[in-house]
Amino acid sequence: MPRYLSLVQIDESTAPAEGPSAELMQRMGELIEEMTKAGVLLDTAGLTPSAQGTRVHWSGGRSTVTDGPFTESKEVVGGYAIVQCKDKAEAIEWTKRFLQVHEAHWTVTCEVREIAEG
């Protein structure tokens, strides 16, 4: 069965400074448990805020290193999930369920892409 990466992008300007609520974390935990029992979820994690990140860029034969926060970015990668599903449609359905556990004040986008094998 194919594997898919769901790349979670968040708008840090709408995310609560204190992080996700206890209720959100509970709902997310329940969904993660359901996905694990269904044999779909292979790996998932959230990431620290972009202010704690570093970008390494390659251009013109040189690399540059820039520490966060990255003022030119509105949406940043906030986490990921790797799922194994029968097809892309199933991966999208699980991703939609993940998005729906968030409260209305969150702005979250997931990019779902099949992982190239071999």
Side-chain angles (χ1 to χ4, degrees):
M1 279 201 306
R3 295 180 305 149
Y4 296 88
L5 172 67
S6 181
L7 194 59
V8 182
Q9 299 168 328
I10 64 168
D11 180 342
E12 287 186 323
S13 69
T14 64
E18 66 278 3
S21 68
E23 295 82 11
L24 169 57
M25 293 307 294
Q26 180 179 342
R27 288 190 303 273
M28 194 171 301
E30 291 167 357
L31 179 60
I32 287 170
E33 183 178 339
E34 180 181 350
M35 293 174 75
T36 301
K37 286 181 180 177
V40 173
L41 185 63
L42 301 179
D43 191 21
T44 188
L47 302 174
T48 59
S50 66
Q52 298 173 22
T54 301
R55 285 189 179 160
V56 181
H57 181 76
W58 178 258
S59 178
R62 294 185 40 219
S63 61
T64 56
V65 178
T66 307
D67 290 329
F70 311 111
T71 56
E72 68 277 7
S73 296
K74 182 177 178 183
E75 288 187 340
V76 299
V77 177
Y80 71 93
I82 298 175
V83 296
Q84 189 165 26
C85 300
K86 66 181 183 236
D87 55 27
K88 189 174 184 180
E90 182 184 11
I92 290 170
E93 285 305 312
W94 283 111
T95 299
K96 287 165 65 176
R97 290 193 54 199
F98 166 77
L99 291 173
Q100 292 166 355
V101 302
H102 291 78
E103 294 97 350
H105 60 267
W106 285 85
T107 301
V108 186
T109 303
C110 288
E111 181 178 339
V112 178
R113 295 174 60 185
E114 186 172 348
I115 297 172
E117 302 290 348

